[in-house]
Amino acid sequence: MAISIMLDAGHGGEDPGAVYQNRSEKDDNLALVKELGQILSNNGIDVQYTRTTDIYQTPFEKAQLANNAGVDYFISIHRNSAPTPNQYHGVETLLYDKSGIKLEMAENINNRLSEVGFENLGVKARPGLVVLRRTNMPALLVEVGFLNSDVDNEIFDKNQRQIAQAIADGILETLQMQPADVNSDAAPLPQLQDEMDPGSPLYRVQVGLFRKRSNADQLLYELLERDYPAFMLAEDGYFKVQVGAFRQLGNAIAMERRLRRAGYATLITT
Ligand SMILES: [Zn+2]
């Protein structure tokens, strides 16, 4: 069976990512992902995408897309941003932790990108990032230079095809050296088995109800960072942030207590 990879063009829609002069990171990410996807497809990889158009997705949704598709790898393409223009330049790749095949793949990608002309800033562990933490397969986030670096933008604009090829080469050379079981080093993912069961009523603990999606997102990420099995529902014109779901009311109550001790206002819903 072909190896499957979900490519994620970082940000999108109302979330532009980094912005510098007339550039938005979301556009650079998407253009590069399309090139990369084409090259990987040509090399026999089953390529899937979180987005191929300019739409907004939360990082949690992006991770869920990969989990639901059951792909072997998740690769998110971004461009970096420094506090002030031209402060930094170079590429780096972010991982949940620096171990396993994803570390090899990250190092190979960085090395290939440095051959195109980028400085290699190395591999970094960023366990707090939702797309790295919530994906249950090896996941990489490649920062393809700084969006507010003129040096990096010049490389990016002049060599887009070579950059896509470099990332593809880093991926492919890693896969060629690997045995079949590639999922052994995935980040641990708390599963919501209960939610999948269609039979019994499910209890959820609601922690927030918002008109504005960005406010709901903020609470959602905060809860996920603290390892609550949180998710968001769009319902009746509201964005509801909930934790669960639980088949047994007692478990929902226990979760509610834990959330209240942590300072959240809650109610139990089915
Ligand atoms: Zn980004």
Side-chain angles (χ1 to χ4, degrees):
M1 225 170 71
I3 297 269
S4 57
I5 299 181
M6 184 167 282
L7 298 179
D8 170 44
H11 312 282
E14 67 203 47
D15 169 18
V19 175
Y20 177 58
Q21 295 167 348
N22 293 325
R23 305 176 80 105
S24 287
E25 186 198 342
K26 64 176 183 175
D27 300 325
D28 282 5
N29 296 341
L30 184 57
L32 186 54
V33 153
K34 285 181 173 175
E35 294 250 31
L36 174 59
Q38 203 175 55
I39 296 168
L40 290 173
S41 292
N42 292 343
N43 282 277
I45 302 288
D46 170 13
V47 178
Q48 303 187 41
Y49 301 87
T50 54
R51 68 180 180 98
T52 53
T53 56
D54 186 23
I55 55 164
Y56 176 72
Q57 299 156 317
T58 66
F60 185 64
E61 284 169 334
K62 289 169 181 286
Q64 279 298 109
L65 285 171
N67 292 344
N68 293 343
V71 290
D72 298 314
Y73 294 88
F74 179 85
I75 296 182
S76 186
I77 299 295
H78 284 251
R79 300 205 58 210
N80 224 330
S81 185
T84 58
N86 296 306
Q87 187 180 7
Y88 304 121
H89 64 272
V91 294
E92 61 185 16
T93 297
L94 312 177
L95 305 175
Y96 178 79
D97 60 30
K98 291 174 70 171
S99 73
I101 186 173
K102 62 187 186 299
L103 175 59
E104 279 177 55
M105 190 179 280
E107 285 172 345
N108 287 334
I109 289 171
N110 284 354
N111 288 338
R112 294 293 185 150
L113 283 171
S114 74
E115 289 165 12
V116 182
F118 288 112
E119 188 167 328
N120 183 353
L121 300 177
V123 178
K124 286 166 189 150
R126 291 285 297 279
L129 286 178
V130 170
V131 292
L132 302 180
R133 187 186 188 90
R134 294 289 150 181
T135 38
N136 55 16
M137 69 287 301
L140 293 77
L141 192 155
V142 186
E143 297 273 16
V144 188
F146 284 77
L147 192 86
N148 58 356
S149 156
D150 296 327
V151 175
D152 281 352
N153 285 342
E154 193 179 334
I155 300 171
F156 191 92
D157 292 338
K158 283 187 180 160
N159 307 281
Q160 191 164 292
R161 185 77 188 176
Q162 292 91 316
I163 290 167
Q165 185 69 53
I167 297 171
D169 288 344
I171 294 168
L172 293 168
E173 73 184 313
T174 312
L175 297 180
Q176 273 158 19
M177 295 182 296
Q178 295 305 320
D181 181 18
V182 294
N183 286 325
S184 52
D185 69 334
L189 179 83
Q191 290 290 338
L192 303 178
Q193 297 96 335
D194 282 355
E195 204 179 359
M196 302 305 159
D197 179 39
S200 48
L202 295 174
Y203 301 96
R204 311 172 201 269
V205 185
Q206 186 159 299
V207 189
L209 178 71
F210 301 94
R211 278 279 181 201
K212 270 185 73 179
R213 179 168 188 157
S214 55
N215 292 335
D217 280 343
Q218 202 177 351
L219 177 60
L220 176 66
Y221 299 149
E222 184 184 304
L223 290 167
L224 291 171
E225 290 302 310
R226 295 178 179 184
D227 270 332
Y228 291 101
F231 59 95
M232 180 165 55
L233 276 180
E235 219 172 53
D236 312 324
Y238 288 97
F239 295 100
K240 300 174 178 178
V241 179
Q242 302 183 341
V243 174
F246 305 96
R247 207 178 292 118
Q248 295 184 21
L249 181 59
N251 290 336
I253 290 170
M255 178 57 82
E256 181 169 55
R257 285 208 194 100
R258 194 180 137 198
L259 283 159
R260 287 188 174 174
R261 272 201 304 275
Y264 295 103
T266 62
L267 67 91
I268 290 181
T269 172
T270 54

